[in-house]
PDB file of all heavy atoms in Angstrom:
ATOM      1  N   ASP M 202       0.751  -1.185  -0.006  1.00  0.00           N
ATOM      2  CA  ASP M 202      -0.011   0.044   0.007  1.00  0.00           C
ATOM      3  C   ASP M 202       0.913   1.253  -0.019  1.00  0.00           C
ATOM      4  O   ASP M 202       0.552   2.268  -0.735  1.00  0.00           O
ATOM      5  CB  ASP M 202      -0.975  -0.012   1.318  1.00  0.00           C
ATOM      6  CG  ASP M 202      -1.921  -1.228   1.225  1.00  0.00           C
ATOM      7  OD1 ASP M 202      -2.048  -1.799   0.121  1.00  0.00           O
ATOM      8  OD2 ASP M 202      -2.379  -1.568   2.197  1.00  0.00           O
ATOM      9  N   ILE M 203       1.843   1.239   0.848  1.00  0.00           N
ATOM     10  CA  ILE M 203       2.615   2.486   0.934  1.00  0.00           C
ATOM     11  C   ILE M 203       3.477   2.788  -0.360  1.00  0.00           C
ATOM     12  O   ILE M 203       3.478   3.947  -0.914  1.00  0.00           O
ATOM     13  CB  ILE M 203       3.595   2.500   2.157  1.00  0.00           C
ATOM     14  CG1 ILE M 203       2.655   2.611   3.477  1.00  0.00           C
ATOM     15  CG2 ILE M 203       4.652   3.617   2.147  1.00  0.00           C
ATOM     16  CD1 ILE M 203       3.486   2.521   4.743  1.00  0.00           C
ATOM     17  N   PRO M 204       4.065   1.673  -0.902  1.00  0.00           N
ATOM     18  CA  PRO M 204       4.728   1.957  -2.255  1.00  0.00           C
ATOM     19  C   PRO M 204       3.846   2.362  -3.352  1.00  0.00           C
ATOM     20  O   PRO M 204       4.119   3.207  -4.091  1.00  0.00           O
ATOM     21  CB  PRO M 204       5.328   0.503  -2.527  1.00  0.00           C
ATOM     22  CG  PRO M 204       5.587  -0.130  -1.179  1.00  0.00           C
ATOM     23  CD  PRO M 204       4.514   0.293  -0.318  1.00  0.00           C
ATOM     24  N   LEU M 205       2.544   1.888  -3.363  1.00  0.00           N
ATOM     25  CA  LEU M 205       1.591   2.253  -4.330  1.00  0.00           C
ATOM     26  C   LEU M 205       1.261   3.766  -4.100  1.00  0.00           C
ATOM     27  O   LEU M 205       1.054   4.570  -5.047  1.00  0.00           O
ATOM     28  CB  LEU M 205       0.260   1.533  -4.182  1.00  0.00           C
ATOM     29  CG  LEU M 205       0.303   0.141  -4.874  1.00  0.00           C
ATOM     30  CD1 LEU M 205      -1.003  -0.639  -4.532  1.00  0.00           C
ATOM     31  CD2 LEU M 205       0.552   0.241  -6.433  1.00  0.00           C
ATOM     32  N   MET M 206       1.137   4.164  -2.841  1.00  0.00           N
ATOM     33  CA  MET M 206       0.858   5.549  -2.507  1.00  0.00           C
ATOM     34  C   MET M 206       1.854   6.536  -3.052  1.00  0.00           C
ATOM     35  O   MET M 206       1.648   7.502  -3.671  1.00  0.00           O
ATOM     36  CB  MET M 206       0.661   5.751  -1.000  1.00  0.00           C
ATOM     37  CG  MET M 206       0.412   7.198  -0.485  1.00  0.00           C
ATOM     38  SD  MET M 206       0.471   7.375   1.185  1.00  0.00           S
ATOM     39  CE  MET M 206       2.223   7.024   1.584  1.00  0.00           C
ATOM     40  N   LEU M 207       3.169   6.150  -2.804  1.00  0.00           N
ATOM     41  CA  LEU M 207       4.282   6.950  -3.243  1.00  0.00           C
ATOM     42  C   LEU M 207       4.378   6.954  -4.772  1.00  0.00           C
ATOM     43  O   LEU M 207       4.653   8.035  -5.444  1.00  0.00           O
ATOM     44  CB  LEU M 207       5.581   6.350  -2.724  1.00  0.00           C
ATOM     45  CG  LEU M 207       5.952   6.643  -1.229  1.00  0.00           C
ATOM     46  CD1 LEU M 207       7.161   5.802  -0.862  1.00  0.00           C
ATOM     47  CD2 LEU M 207       6.253   8.152  -1.054  1.00  0.00           C
ATOM     48  N   GLY M 208       4.094   5.774  -5.425  1.00  0.00           N
ATOM     49  CA  GLY M 208       4.102   5.703  -6.881  1.00  0.00           C
ATOM     50  C   GLY M 208       3.132   6.587  -7.529  1.00  0.00           C
ATOM     51  O   GLY M 208       3.387   7.306  -8.518  1.00  0.00           O
ATOM     52  N   THR M 209       1.832   6.605  -7.027  1.00  0.00           N
ATOM     53  CA  THR M 209       0.830   7.429  -7.587  1.00  0.00           C
ATOM     54  C   THR M 209       1.108   8.882  -7.374  1.00  0.00           C
ATOM     55  O   THR M 209       0.796   9.733  -8.266  1.00  0.00           O
ATOM     56  CB  THR M 209      -0.569   7.056  -6.935  1.00  0.00           C
ATOM     57  OG1 THR M 209      -0.471   7.213  -5.486  1.00  0.00           O
ATOM     58  CG2 THR M 209      -0.979   5.636  -7.324  1.00  0.00           C
ATOM     59  N   ALA M 210       1.609   9.238  -6.310  1.00  0.00           N
ATOM     60  CA  ALA M 210       2.053  10.677  -5.996  1.00  0.00           C
ATOM     61  C   ALA M 210       3.222  11.141  -6.975  1.00  0.00           C
ATOM     62  O   ALA M 210       3.036  12.291  -7.582  1.00  0.00           O
ATOM     63  CB  ALA M 210       2.374  10.896  -4.606  1.00  0.00           C
ATOM     64  N   LEU M 211       4.063  10.279  -7.203  1.00  0.00           N
ATOM     65  CA  LEU M 211       5.152  10.718  -8.113  1.00  0.00           C
ATOM     66  C   LEU M 211       4.703  10.640  -9.556  1.00  0.00           C
ATOM     67  O   LEU M 211       5.307  11.418 -10.404  1.00  0.00           O
ATOM     68  CB  LEU M 211       6.394   9.627  -7.985  1.00  0.00           C
ATOM     69  CG  LEU M 211       7.143   9.866  -6.611  1.00  0.00           C
ATOM     70  CD1 LEU M 211       8.061   8.673  -6.472  1.00  0.00           C
ATOM     71  CD2 LEU M 211       7.839  11.099  -6.511  1.00  0.00           C
ATOM     72  N   LEU M 212       3.598   9.951  -9.899  1.00  0.00           N
ATOM     73  CA  LEU M 212       3.134   9.860 -11.237  1.00  0.00           C
ATOM     74  C   LEU M 212       2.537  11.232 -11.654  1.00  0.00           C
ATOM     75  O   LEU M 212       2.673  11.580 -12.870  1.00  0.00           O
ATOM     76  CB  LEU M 212       1.993   8.806 -11.249  1.00  0.00           C
ATOM     77  CG  LEU M 212       1.228   8.642 -12.670  1.00  0.00           C
ATOM     78  CD1 LEU M 212       2.160   8.171 -13.761  1.00  0.00           C
ATOM     79  CD2 LEU M 212       0.008   7.749 -12.470  1.00  0.00           C
ATOM     80  N   LEU M 213       1.994  12.005 -10.686  1.00  0.00           N
ATOM     81  CA  LEU M 213       1.397  13.311 -10.993  1.00  0.00           C
ATOM     82  C   LEU M 213       2.478  14.171 -11.733  1.00  0.00           C
ATOM     83  O   LEU M 213       2.056  14.983 -12.638  1.00  0.00           O
ATOM     84  CB  LEU M 213       0.951  14.027  -9.790  1.00  0.00           C
ATOM     85  CG  LEU M 213      -0.430  13.569  -9.232  1.00  0.00           C
ATOM     86  CD1 LEU M 213      -0.844  14.394  -8.013  1.00  0.00           C
ATOM     87  CD2 LEU M 213      -1.491  13.677 -10.299  1.00  0.00           C
ATOM     88  N   TYR M 214       3.753  14.197 -11.279  1.00  0.00           N
ATOM     89  CA  TYR M 214       4.675  15.236 -11.742  1.00  0.00           C
ATOM     90  C   TYR M 214       4.875  15.001 -13.281  1.00  0.00           C
ATOM     91  O   TYR M 214       4.773  15.994 -14.037  1.00  0.00           O
ATOM     92  CB  TYR M 214       6.031  15.093 -11.009  1.00  0.00           C
ATOM     93  CG  TYR M 214       7.045  16.220 -11.273  1.00  0.00           C
ATOM     94  CD1 TYR M 214       6.853  17.483 -10.806  1.00  0.00           C
ATOM     95  CD2 TYR M 214       8.030  16.066 -12.275  1.00  0.00           C
ATOM     96  CE1 TYR M 214       7.732  18.519 -11.154  1.00  0.00           C
ATOM     97  CE2 TYR M 214       8.836  16.994 -12.559  1.00  0.00           C
ATOM     98  CZ  TYR M 214       8.701  18.325 -12.010  1.00  0.00           C
ATOM     99  OH  TYR M 214       9.538  19.392 -12.336  1.00  0.00           O
ATOM    100  N   PRO M 215       5.316  13.858 -13.774  1.00  0.00           N
ATOM    101  CA  PRO M 215       5.454  13.734 -15.296  1.00  0.00           C
ATOM    102  C   PRO M 215       4.194  13.955 -16.091  1.00  0.00           C
ATOM    103  O   PRO M 215       4.244  14.461 -17.116  1.00  0.00           O
ATOM    104  CB  PRO M 215       5.972  12.224 -15.403  1.00  0.00           C
ATOM    105  CG  PRO M 215       5.509  11.537 -14.151  1.00  0.00           C
ATOM    106  CD  PRO M 215       5.590  12.522 -13.081  1.00  0.00           C
ATOM    107  N   VAL M 216       2.989  13.646 -15.465  1.00  0.00           N
ATOM    108  CA  VAL M 216       1.770  13.827 -16.184  1.00  0.00           C
ATOM    109  C   VAL M 216       1.577  15.314 -16.372  1.00  0.00           C
ATOM    110  O   VAL M 216       1.252  15.885 -17.388  1.00  0.00           O
ATOM    111  CB  VAL M 216       0.538  13.189 -15.441  1.00  0.00           C
ATOM    112  CG1 VAL M 216      -0.670  13.656 -16.062  1.00  0.00           C
ATOM    113  CG2 VAL M 216       0.602  11.707 -15.542  1.00  0.00           C
ATOM    114  N   PHE M 217       1.763  15.976 -15.277  1.00  0.00           N
ATOM    115  CA  PHE M 217       1.576  17.560 -15.381  1.00  0.00           C
ATOM    116  C   PHE M 217       2.710  18.255 -16.192  1.00  0.00           C
ATOM    117  O   PHE M 217       2.347  19.185 -16.878  1.00  0.00           O
ATOM    118  CB  PHE M 217       1.540  18.112 -13.881  1.00  0.00           C
ATOM    119  CG  PHE M 217       0.392  18.018 -13.169  1.00  0.00           C
ATOM    120  CD1 PHE M 217       0.375  17.828 -11.795  1.00  0.00           C
ATOM    121  CD2 PHE M 217      -0.834  17.865 -13.777  1.00  0.00           C
ATOM    122  CE1 PHE M 217      -0.782  17.732 -11.077  1.00  0.00           C
ATOM    123  CE2 PHE M 217      -2.083  17.682 -13.101  1.00  0.00           C
ATOM    124  CZ  PHE M 217      -2.011  17.618 -11.666  1.00  0.00           C
ATOM    125  N   LEU M 218       3.927  17.634 -16.059  1.00  0.00           N
ATOM    126  CA  LEU M 218       5.010  18.210 -16.741  1.00  0.00           C
ATOM    127  C   LEU M 218       4.823  18.074 -18.308  1.00  0.00           C
ATOM    128  O   LEU M 218       5.009  18.954 -19.026  1.00  0.00           O
ATOM    129  CB  LEU M 218       6.326  17.526 -16.388  1.00  0.00           C
ATOM    130  CG  LEU M 218       7.588  18.190 -16.915  1.00  0.00           C
ATOM    131  CD1 LEU M 218       7.780  19.605 -16.498  1.00  0.00           C
ATOM    132  CD2 LEU M 218       8.766  17.245 -16.502  1.00  0.00           C
ATOM    133  N   LEU M 219       4.335  16.887 -18.747  1.00  0.00           N
ATOM    134  CA  LEU M 219       4.001  16.752 -20.143  1.00  0.00           C
ATOM    135  C   LEU M 219       2.823  17.507 -20.703  1.00  0.00           C
ATOM    136  O   LEU M 219       2.942  18.131 -21.721  1.00  0.00           O
ATOM    137  CB  LEU M 219       3.632  15.171 -20.382  1.00  0.00           C
ATOM    138  CG  LEU M 219       4.878  14.247 -20.391  1.00  0.00           C
ATOM    139  CD1 LEU M 219       4.392  12.766 -20.337  1.00  0.00           C
ATOM    140  CD2 LEU M 219       5.821  14.452 -21.533  1.00  0.00           C
ATOM    141  N   CYS M 220       1.923  17.747 -19.804  1.00  0.00           N
ATOM    142  CA  CYS M 220       0.830  18.629 -20.122  1.00  0.00           C
ATOM    143  C   CYS M 220       1.299  20.041 -20.398  1.00  0.00           C
ATOM    144  O   CYS M 220       0.861  20.694 -21.352  1.00  0.00           O
ATOM    145  CB  CYS M 220      -0.300  18.620 -19.044  1.00  0.00           C
ATOM    146  SG  CYS M 220      -1.323  17.179 -18.975  1.00  0.00           S
ATOM    147  N   ARG M 221       2.215  20.523 -19.534  1.00  0.00           N
ATOM    148  CA  ARG M 221       2.769  21.866 -19.680  1.00  0.00           C
ATOM    149  C   ARG M 221       3.545  21.938 -20.953  1.00  0.00           C
ATOM    150  O   ARG M 221       3.548  22.944 -21.545  1.00  0.00           O
ATOM    151  CB  ARG M 221       3.652  22.181 -18.432  1.00  0.00           C
ATOM    152  CG  ARG M 221       4.033  23.670 -18.410  1.00  0.00           C
ATOM    153  CD  ARG M 221       4.827  23.941 -17.147  1.00  0.00           C
ATOM    154  NE  ARG M 221       6.125  23.291 -17.086  1.00  0.00           N
ATOM    155  CZ  ARG M 221       6.907  23.422 -16.045  1.00  0.00           C
ATOM    156  NH1 ARG M 221       6.554  24.253 -15.015  1.00  0.00           N
ATOM    157  NH2 ARG M 221       8.147  22.829 -15.987  1.00  0.00           N
ATOM    158  N   MET M 222       4.319  20.967 -21.257  1.00  0.00           N
ATOM    159  CA  MET M 222       5.195  20.910 -22.492  1.00  0.00           C
ATOM    160  C   MET M 222       4.289  20.988 -23.655  1.00  0.00           C
ATOM    161  O   MET M 222       4.599  21.767 -24.641  1.00  0.00           O
ATOM    162  CB  MET M 222       6.195  19.694 -22.537  1.00  0.00           C
ATOM    163  CG  MET M 222       7.211  19.799 -21.409  1.00  0.00           C
ATOM    164  SD  MET M 222       8.193  18.182 -21.317  1.00  0.00           S
ATOM    165  CE  MET M 222       8.801  18.053 -22.917  1.00  0.00           C
ATOM    166  N   VAL M 223       3.220  20.211 -23.748  1.00  0.00           N
ATOM    167  CA  VAL M 223       2.391  20.177 -24.860  1.00  0.00           C
ATOM    168  C   VAL M 223       1.598  21.506 -24.964  1.00  0.00           C
ATOM    169  O   VAL M 223       1.540  22.056 -26.121  1.00  0.00           O
ATOM    170  CB  VAL M 223       1.328  18.980 -24.787  1.00  0.00           C
ATOM    171  CG1 VAL M 223       0.270  19.141 -25.920  1.00  0.00           C
ATOM    172  CG2 VAL M 223       2.124  17.671 -24.776  1.00  0.00           C
ATOM    173  N   GLU M 224       1.203  22.012 -23.879  1.00  0.00           N
ATOM    174  CA  GLU M 224       0.513  23.475 -23.934  1.00  0.00           C
ATOM    175  C   GLU M 224       1.440  24.460 -24.353  1.00  0.00           C
ATOM    176  O   GLU M 224       0.977  25.345 -25.130  1.00  0.00           O
ATOM    177  CB  GLU M 224       0.033  23.597 -22.437  1.00  0.00           C
ATOM    178  CG  GLU M 224      -0.932  24.810 -22.360  1.00  0.00           C
ATOM    179  CD  GLU M 224      -1.373  25.105 -20.887  1.00  0.00           C
ATOM    180  OE1 GLU M 224      -0.922  24.387 -20.118  1.00  0.00           O
ATOM    181  OE2 GLU M 224      -2.124  26.003 -20.749  1.00  0.00           O
ATOM    182  N   ALA M 225       2.742  24.340 -23.951  1.00  0.00           N
ATOM    183  CA  ALA M 225       3.657  25.433 -24.383  1.00  0.00           C
ATOM    184  C   ALA M 225       3.923  25.467 -25.896  1.00  0.00           C
ATOM    185  O   ALA M 225       4.313  26.556 -26.414  1.00  0.00           O
ATOM    186  CB  ALA M 225       4.968  25.155 -23.708  1.00  0.00           C
ATOM    187  N   THR M 226       3.704  24.384 -26.497  1.00  0.00           N
ATOM    188  CA  THR M 226       3.905  24.429 -27.994  1.00  0.00           C
ATOM    189  C   THR M 226       2.663  25.070 -28.781  1.00  0.00           C
ATOM    190  O   THR M 226       2.866  25.383 -29.966  1.00  0.00           O
ATOM    191  CB  THR M 226       3.981  22.905 -28.561  1.00  0.00           C
ATOM    192  OG1 THR M 226       2.741  22.242 -28.396  1.00  0.00           O
ATOM    193  CG2 THR M 226       4.998  22.143 -27.843  1.00  0.00           C
ATOM    194  N   GLY M 227       1.625  25.432 -27.964  1.00  0.00           N
ATOM    195  CA  GLY M 227       0.544  26.113 -28.621  1.00  0.00           C
ATOM    196  C   GLY M 227      -0.304  25.083 -29.451  1.00  0.00           C
ATOM    197  O   GLY M 227      -1.175  25.675 -30.238  1.00  0.00           O
ATOM    198  N   SER M 228      -0.196  23.807 -29.244  1.00  0.00           N
ATOM    199  CA  SER M 228      -0.949  22.828 -30.045  1.00  0.00           C
ATOM    200  C   SER M 228      -2.438  23.003 -29.683  1.00  0.00           C
ATOM    201  O   SER M 228      -2.909  23.138 -28.479  1.00  0.00           O
ATOM    202  CB  SER M 228      -0.414  21.506 -29.698  1.00  0.00           C
ATOM    203  OG  SER M 228      -1.308  20.548 -30.317  1.00  0.00           O
ATOM    204  N   ALA M 229      -3.258  22.953 -30.760  1.00  0.00           N
ATOM    205  CA  ALA M 229      -4.689  22.957 -30.626  1.00  0.00           C
ATOM    206  C   ALA M 229      -5.189  21.679 -29.984  1.00  0.00           C
ATOM    207  O   ALA M 229      -6.342  21.645 -29.605  1.00  0.00           O
ATOM    208  CB  ALA M 229      -5.317  23.271 -31.951  1.00  0.00           C
ATOM    209  N   ARG M 230      -4.259  20.656 -30.017  1.00  0.00           N
ATOM    210  CA  ARG M 230      -4.674  19.374 -29.400  1.00  0.00           C
ATOM    211  C   ARG M 230      -4.523  19.210 -27.912  1.00  0.00           C
ATOM    212  O   ARG M 230      -4.634  18.215 -27.381  1.00  0.00           O
ATOM    213  CB  ARG M 230      -3.961  18.190 -30.162  1.00  0.00           C
ATOM    214  CG  ARG M 230      -4.224  18.224 -31.654  1.00  0.00           C
ATOM    215  CD  ARG M 230      -3.497  17.073 -32.278  1.00  0.00           C
ATOM    216  NE  ARG M 230      -3.806  16.900 -33.765  1.00  0.00           N
ATOM    217  CZ  ARG M 230      -3.154  16.055 -34.556  1.00  0.00           C
ATOM    218  NH1 ARG M 230      -2.346  15.223 -34.009  1.00  0.00           N
ATOM    219  NH2 ARG M 230      -3.547  15.990 -35.790  1.00  0.00           N
ATOM    220  N   TYR M 231      -4.102  20.348 -27.314  1.00  0.00           N
ATOM    221  CA  TYR M 231      -3.840  20.268 -25.909  1.00  0.00           C
ATOM    222  C   TYR M 231      -5.025  19.696 -25.063  1.00  0.00           C
ATOM    223  O   TYR M 231      -4.765  18.881 -24.154  1.00  0.00           O
ATOM    224  CB  TYR M 231      -3.405  21.660 -25.306  1.00  0.00           C
ATOM    225  CG  TYR M 231      -3.248  21.637 -23.781  1.00  0.00           C
ATOM    226  CD1 TYR M 231      -2.183  20.876 -23.217  1.00  0.00           C
ATOM    227  CD2 TYR M 231      -4.279  22.228 -23.000  1.00  0.00           C
ATOM    228  CE1 TYR M 231      -2.150  20.854 -21.809  1.00  0.00           C
ATOM    229  CE2 TYR M 231      -4.139  22.165 -21.634  1.00  0.00           C
ATOM    230  CZ  TYR M 231      -3.051  21.489 -21.026  1.00  0.00           C
ATOM    231  OH  TYR M 231      -2.828  21.482 -19.598  1.00  0.00           O
ATOM    232  N   SER M 232      -6.231  20.258 -25.342  1.00  0.00           N
ATOM    233  CA  SER M 232      -7.348  19.764 -24.530  1.00  0.00           C
ATOM    234  C   SER M 232      -7.522  18.323 -24.644  1.00  0.00           C
ATOM    235  O   SER M 232      -7.850  17.581 -23.669  1.00  0.00           O
ATOM    236  CB  SER M 232      -8.650  20.540 -24.999  1.00  0.00           C
ATOM    237  OG  SER M 232      -8.535  21.803 -24.696  1.00  0.00           O
ATOM    238  N   LEU M 233      -7.271  17.765 -25.883  1.00  0.00           N
ATOM    239  CA  LEU M 233      -7.468  16.355 -26.167  1.00  0.00           C
ATOM    240  C   LEU M 233      -6.372  15.539 -25.334  1.00  0.00           C
ATOM    241  O   LEU M 233      -6.600  14.472 -24.697  1.00  0.00           O
ATOM    242  CB  LEU M 233      -7.350  15.959 -27.641  1.00  0.00           C
ATOM    243  CG  LEU M 233      -7.532  14.573 -28.081  1.00  0.00           C
ATOM    244  CD1 LEU M 233      -8.921  14.045 -27.601  1.00  0.00           C
ATOM    245  CD2 LEU M 233      -7.309  14.388 -29.540  1.00  0.00           C
ATOM    246  N   TYR M 234      -5.121  16.061 -25.356  1.00  0.00           N
ATOM    247  CA  TYR M 234      -4.026  15.461 -24.626  1.00  0.00           C
ATOM    248  C   TYR M 234      -4.320  15.424 -23.164  1.00  0.00           C
ATOM    249  O   TYR M 234      -4.096  14.395 -22.414  1.00  0.00           O
ATOM    250  CB  TYR M 234      -2.730  16.139 -24.947  1.00  0.00           C
ATOM    251  CG  TYR M 234      -1.517  15.559 -24.228  1.00  0.00           C
ATOM    252  CD1 TYR M 234      -0.887  14.496 -24.668  1.00  0.00           C
ATOM    253  CD2 TYR M 234      -1.062  16.104 -22.972  1.00  0.00           C
ATOM    254  CE1 TYR M 234       0.153  13.861 -24.043  1.00  0.00           C
ATOM    255  CE2 TYR M 234      -0.041  15.613 -22.334  1.00  0.00           C
ATOM    256  CZ  TYR M 234       0.659  14.458 -22.788  1.00  0.00           C
ATOM    257  OH  TYR M 234       1.585  13.950 -22.141  1.00  0.00           O
ATOM    258  N   ALA M 235      -4.775  16.632 -22.651  1.00  0.00           N
ATOM    259  CA  ALA M 235      -5.088  16.691 -21.181  1.00  0.00           C
ATOM    260  C   ALA M 235      -6.170  15.747 -20.810  1.00  0.00           C
ATOM    261  O   ALA M 235      -6.056  15.044 -19.746  1.00  0.00           O
ATOM    262  CB  ALA M 235      -5.492  18.146 -20.868  1.00  0.00           C
ATOM    263  N   LEU M 236      -7.242  15.543 -21.629  1.00  0.00           N
ATOM    264  CA  LEU M 236      -8.323  14.635 -21.397  1.00  0.00           C
ATOM    265  C   LEU M 236      -7.720  13.115 -21.401  1.00  0.00           C
ATOM    266  O   LEU M 236      -8.057  12.352 -20.516  1.00  0.00           O
ATOM    267  CB  LEU M 236      -9.324  14.753 -22.474  1.00  0.00           C
ATOM    268  CG  LEU M 236     -10.537  13.825 -22.437  1.00  0.00           C
ATOM    269  CD1 LEU M 236     -11.216  13.919 -21.076  1.00  0.00           C
ATOM    270  CD2 LEU M 236     -11.496  13.897 -23.556  1.00  0.00           C
ATOM    271  N   ALA M 237      -6.771  12.903 -22.378  1.00  0.00           N
ATOM    272  CA  ALA M 237      -6.203  11.530 -22.607  1.00  0.00           C
ATOM    273  C   ALA M 237      -5.334  11.256 -21.150  1.00  0.00           C
ATOM    274  O   ALA M 237      -5.414  10.121 -20.687  1.00  0.00           O
ATOM    275  CB  ALA M 237      -5.347  11.405 -23.657  1.00  0.00           C
ATOM    276  N   SER M 238      -4.671  12.286 -20.693  1.00  0.00           N
ATOM    277  CA  SER M 238      -3.831  12.123 -19.385  1.00  0.00           C
ATOM    278  C   SER M 238      -4.741  11.753 -18.292  1.00  0.00           C
ATOM    279  O   SER M 238      -4.382  10.950 -17.491  1.00  0.00           O
ATOM    280  CB  SER M 238      -3.033  13.397 -19.150  1.00  0.00           C
ATOM    281  OG  SER M 238      -2.169  13.607 -20.207  1.00  0.00           O
ATOM    282  N   ASN M 239      -5.902  12.440 -18.169  1.00  0.00           N
ATOM    283  CA  ASN M 239      -6.758  12.195 -17.069  1.00  0.00           C
ATOM    284  C   ASN M 239      -7.355  10.765 -17.101  1.00  0.00           C
ATOM    285  O   ASN M 239      -7.646  10.114 -16.060  1.00  0.00           O
ATOM    286  CB  ASN M 239      -7.836  13.340 -16.917  1.00  0.00           C
ATOM    287  CG  ASN M 239      -7.318  14.607 -16.443  1.00  0.00           C
ATOM    288  OD1 ASN M 239      -6.672  14.815 -15.422  1.00  0.00           O
ATOM    289  ND2 ASN M 239      -7.481  15.685 -17.297  1.00  0.00           N
ATOM    290  N   ILE M 240      -7.789  10.374 -18.365  1.00  0.00           N
ATOM    291  CA  ILE M 240      -8.375   9.134 -18.578  1.00  0.00           C
ATOM    292  C   ILE M 240      -7.346   8.005 -18.196  1.00  0.00           C
ATOM    293  O   ILE M 240      -7.534   7.023 -17.587  1.00  0.00           O
ATOM    294  CB  ILE M 240      -8.839   8.889 -19.962  1.00  0.00           C
ATOM    295  CG1 ILE M 240      -9.996   9.756 -20.258  1.00  0.00           C
ATOM    296  CG2 ILE M 240      -9.143   7.368 -20.305  1.00  0.00           C
ATOM    297  CD1 ILE M 240     -10.488   9.788 -21.612  1.00  0.00           C
ATOM    298  N   PHE M 241      -5.991   8.292 -18.572  1.00  0.00           N
ATOM    299  CA  PHE M 241      -4.935   7.392 -18.168  1.00  0.00           C
ATOM    300  C   PHE M 241      -4.860   7.238 -16.666  1.00  0.00           C
ATOM    301  O   PHE M 241      -4.660   6.026 -16.178  1.00  0.00           O
ATOM    302  CB  PHE M 241      -3.572   7.975 -18.723  1.00  0.00           C
ATOM    303  CG  PHE M 241      -2.315   7.213 -18.144  1.00  0.00           C
ATOM    304  CD1 PHE M 241      -2.091   5.962 -18.514  1.00  0.00           C
ATOM    305  CD2 PHE M 241      -1.585   7.881 -17.242  1.00  0.00           C
ATOM    306  CE1 PHE M 241      -0.900   5.299 -17.991  1.00  0.00           C
ATOM    307  CE2 PHE M 241      -0.464   7.237 -16.767  1.00  0.00           C
ATOM    308  CZ  PHE M 241      -0.119   5.985 -17.037  1.00  0.00           C
ATOM    309  N   MET M 242      -4.934   8.296 -15.889  1.00  0.00           N
ATOM    310  CA  MET M 242      -4.930   8.239 -14.426  1.00  0.00           C
ATOM    311  C   MET M 242      -6.062   7.498 -13.880  1.00  0.00           C
ATOM    312  O   MET M 242      -6.053   6.699 -12.908  1.00  0.00           O
ATOM    313  CB  MET M 242      -4.744   9.592 -13.853  1.00  0.00           C
ATOM    314  CG  MET M 242      -3.486  10.282 -14.003  1.00  0.00           C
ATOM    315  SD  MET M 242      -3.227  11.677 -12.919  1.00  0.00           S
ATOM    316  CE  MET M 242      -4.265  12.902 -13.731  1.00  0.00           C
ATOM    317  N   LEU M 243      -7.279   7.582 -14.448  1.00  0.00           N
ATOM    318  CA  LEU M 243      -8.415   6.826 -14.107  1.00  0.00           C
ATOM    319  C   LEU M 243      -8.185   5.317 -14.383  1.00  0.00           C
ATOM    320  O   LEU M 243      -8.603   4.546 -13.545  1.00  0.00           O
ATOM    321  CB  LEU M 243      -9.761   7.178 -14.814  1.00  0.00           C
ATOM    322  CG  LEU M 243     -10.484   8.452 -14.238  1.00  0.00           C
ATOM    323  CD1 LEU M 243     -11.662   8.714 -15.153  1.00  0.00           C
ATOM    324  CD2 LEU M 243     -10.765   8.143 -12.846  1.00  0.00           C
ATOM    325  N   ILE M 244      -7.640   4.939 -15.511  1.00  0.00           N
ATOM    326  CA  ILE M 244      -7.282   3.547 -15.857  1.00  0.00           C
ATOM    327  C   ILE M 244      -6.365   3.007 -14.817  1.00  0.00           C
ATOM    328  O   ILE M 244      -6.486   1.953 -14.299  1.00  0.00           O
ATOM    329  CB  ILE M 244      -6.771   3.442 -17.265  1.00  0.00           C
ATOM    330  CG1 ILE M 244      -7.864   3.776 -18.206  1.00  0.00           C
ATOM    331  CG2 ILE M 244      -6.204   2.041 -17.497  1.00  0.00           C
ATOM    332  CD1 ILE M 244      -7.335   3.857 -19.711  1.00  0.00           C
ATOM    333  N   VAL M 245      -5.321   3.782 -14.409  1.00  0.00           N
ATOM    334  CA  VAL M 245      -4.303   3.314 -13.378  1.00  0.00           C
ATOM    335  C   VAL M 245      -4.965   3.150 -12.128  1.00  0.00           C
ATOM    336  O   VAL M 245      -4.808   2.197 -11.373  1.00  0.00           O
ATOM    337  CB  VAL M 245      -3.152   4.322 -13.279  1.00  0.00           C
ATOM    338  CG1 VAL M 245      -2.310   4.019 -12.096  1.00  0.00           C
ATOM    339  CG2 VAL M 245      -2.326   4.422 -14.533  1.00  0.00           C
TER     340      VAL M 245
END
């Protein structure tokens, strides 16, 4: 349980970081990417 807790917390950083990088490119697909990231976390 505790390793899972740490793993899920650390997962947030790369997800948010990738969202920021995609958003910084000005891509019109950012909303779609952000939605996919959130769906990925739900699957996890």
Side-chain angles (χ1 to χ4, degrees):
D202 301 338
I203 293 177
L205 279 174
M206 177 188 69
L207 283 171
T209 55
L211 292 171
L212 176 66
L213 278 185
Y214 189 80
V216 168
F217 285 150
L218 189 62
L219 285 173
C220 282
R221 188 174 69 179
M222 291 172 60
V223 172
E224 188 180 5
T226 65
S228 172
R230 296 180 178 178
Y231 171 70
S232 294
L233 183 61
Y234 179 82
L236 178 63
S238 299
N239 288 304
I240 292 174
F241 166 72
M242 285 194 288
L243 273 182
I244 292 172
V245 172

